[in-house]
């Protein structure tokens, strides 16, 4: 679905903006549902990774093309 591809790009941009390392994270969008799985690490200069992830989750849920956000991650400080 082209909308899901565009939403995936938006999700990745949000992570980059928040200084979170997603090299070990699987980010997928299926029918408007964002799935974030794997390991998320904070990068230098970033805040608390758990707090940053909550901000991303809230931000994504306000988007009209996102129906839900499912997070199944290990968060490393």
């Amino acid at each position: 679905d082209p909308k899901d591809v565009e939403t995936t790009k938006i999700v990745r941009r949000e992570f980059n903006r928040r200084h979170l390392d997603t090299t070990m994270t699987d980010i997928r969008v299926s029918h408007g549902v964002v799935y974030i799985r794997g390991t998320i690490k904070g990068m230098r200069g970033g805040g608390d990774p758990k707090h940053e992830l909550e901000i991303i989750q809230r931000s994504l849920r306000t988007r009209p093309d996102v129906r839900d956000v499912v997070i199944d991650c290990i968060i490393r400080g």
Side-chain angles (χ1 to χ4, degrees):
D1 189 8
K3 280 185 182 176
D4 289 343
V5 172
E6 189 58 38
T7 304
T8 303
K9 290 178 186 176
I10 291 167
V11 173
R12 290 190 185 281
R13 240 180 268 133
E14 282 290 326
F15 275 96
N16 289 337
R17 195 175 290 141
R18 293 269 160 208
H19 299 288
L20 292 173
D21 179 6
T22 58
T23 52
M24 296 172 65
T25 310
D26 181 36
I27 298 170
R28 295 185 190 251
V29 180
S30 178
H31 304 289
V33 180
V34 178
Y35 295 94
I36 303 166
R37 296 185 179 103
T39 303
I40 292 178
K41 292 190 268 184
M43 291 168 57
R44 256 181 226 177
D48 173 36
K50 188 172 184 174
H51 179 68
E52 297 293 335
L53 190 58
E54 288 170 5
I55 292 170
I56 291 170
Q57 186 177 22
R58 253 183 270 129
S59 169
L60 291 173
R61 283 201 168 131
T62 62
R63 300 191 62 83
D65 45 343
V66 174
R67 289 183 23 225
D68 196 12
V69 179
V70 178
I71 297 177
D72 181 21
C73 290
I74 296 167
I75 299 169
R76 302 200 189 271

